[in-house]
Amino acid sequence: MFSSASFTVLLVAALSMQTLAAPLTAKIGSDGSQANRHAIENAMPVANQKIKNMQAVIGSSNAKSHPAVRKAFGNDANVGKIRKTVDKLANGRIVVPHTDSASGVTEGATNPRNGHVTFGSTFYQSGKSANSRAGTIIHEASHALGKTVDAFDRNGKPYKYGESLPSDKVRAGVQIGYKDSNMDSLKASSSKKMHHNADSYRVFAEECPEAREDLFERAMLEDDVEIREFLFRRACKPGAKGSKAPAGKAAPKPAAAKPAAVKAGRK
């Protein structure tokens, strides 16, 4: 049994990792298709697991060099700003006023005036996976809660949230931060500003490994025995990857040599 002092240490550790954070929720209006409503509801738990994975990665000591961060934001990402947005996702609520397919919208759209999120025909189409819908929800939630944007100017500067774009986007050199548009070139030229890019959070969610595996890696790097044991217990729940620490023994301290890189992979 832990002493009260030990419990306080562990509680602080848990809070610092955001493991006790409330999940992202959606207030869904009553108008619209019930089938579409269920599509959103079924995707929300998947989105929240992705957000937990994101928190585990962005909260780690080597977050800037983590492959998932580099894949989504580039090699010089502003980890502090990314963490703030991810925390907003973890504790926020989006408003979906109706569940009809929004006119002119394929996946999703966020109204910058009131933050309301609507989804389109591609999002609701039958056969669409909850995993794919969860990525769209994270993208739109980053708009609504984190004031992220989709567009950057020719120099890689993000347009302001809600700002109107030039009528001739090609001539103005507007760059769109979608994965299948200009994300790669923006990461190369403007990595420090990519925390403003909504689709980077969707890609980040795709690339993050399961949180328990990452907690195991973090436990191996932790010097404090009690915190390390707490992380091991979190990481080694049934079904989690990694080996359990021997019973009755403190987890071993990492060697003085460089630790193994945190593994990353698609979910």
Side-chain angles (χ1 to χ4, degrees):
M1 181 178 292
F2 291 111
S3 67
S4 59
S6 298
F7 177 78
T8 301
V9 170
L10 298 181
L11 181 59
V12 170
L15 288 172
S16 68
M17 293 185 296
Q18 302 294 321
T19 54
L20 301 180
L24 174 69
T25 58
K27 180 181 179 181
I28 306 173
S30 57
D31 293 339
S33 163
Q34 284 300 305
N36 289 350
R37 182 186 186 91
H38 292 323
I40 298 172
E41 292 173 340
N42 291 340
M44 289 301 295
V46 182
N48 274 298
Q49 180 58 54
K50 286 176 177 286
I51 292 168
K52 288 180 181 178
N53 299 343
M54 295 161 75
Q55 286 184 296
V57 170
I58 205 64
S60 62
S61 59
N62 63 339
K64 190 170 184 177
S65 61
H66 194 287
V69 174
R70 290 186 170 184
K71 182 75 172 180
F73 301 97
N75 295 336
D76 198 18
N78 188 326
V79 170
K81 295 290 188 181
I82 297 167
R83 184 181 296 118
K84 286 182 179 179
T85 299
V86 172
D87 286 346
K88 289 177 181 178
L89 297 179
N91 295 280
R93 182 181 73 167
I94 58 173
V95 177
V96 183
H98 63 79
T99 57
D100 290 324
S101 294
S103 177
V105 176
T106 53
E107 286 284 355
T110 300
N111 187 328
R113 291 188 294 274
N114 56 21
H116 288 184
V117 175
T118 52
F119 299 106
S121 57
T122 302
F123 178 90
Y124 287 126
Q125 70 184 9
S126 61
K128 187 86 165 180
S129 70
N131 187 65
S132 179
R133 288 183 177 127
T136 300
I137 289 170
I138 288 171
H139 176 115
E140 298 304 331
S142 79
H143 282 316
L145 302 173
K147 302 296 187 289
T148 60
V149 300
D150 294 323
F152 295 72
D153 68 17
R154 66 172 73 252
N155 298 314
K157 179 181 177 181
Y159 283 88
K160 294 180 180 179
Y161 180 73
E163 180 180 359
S164 297
L165 300 181
S167 56
D168 190 337
K169 298 180 182 62
V170 175
R171 185 174 182 178
V174 174
Q175 301 182 79
I176 303 300
Y178 295 162
K179 181 180 179 180
D180 57 357
S181 295
N182 304 120
M183 181 182 286
D184 285 344
S185 60
L186 284 167
K187 286 190 301 182
S189 67
S190 307
S191 178
K192 289 182 178 179
K193 301 173 184 176
M194 287 299 282
H195 57 277
H196 293 287
N197 185 47
D199 214 38
S200 288
Y201 293 91
R202 181 182 66 83
V203 172
F204 185 34
E206 288 179 354
E207 296 293 327
C208 283
E210 288 294 328
R212 286 193 295 268
E213 182 175 353
D214 190 74
L215 288 174
F216 184 87
E217 298 286 350
R218 290 175 65 185
M220 292 297 292
L221 300 176
E222 178 57 58
D223 289 326
D224 187 287
V225 174
E226 289 181 330
I227 296 177
R228 186 166 65 246
E229 288 179 346
F230 172 78
L231 291 170
F232 267 123
R233 287 197 303 275
R234 294 286 300 170
C236 296
K237 285 186 174 181
K241 296 179 181 179
S243 302
K244 293 184 178 180
K249 295 183 180 180
K253 289 187 177 182
K258 290 184 178 180
V262 177
K263 295 180 180 179
R266 286 185 177 275
K267 294 195 299 175

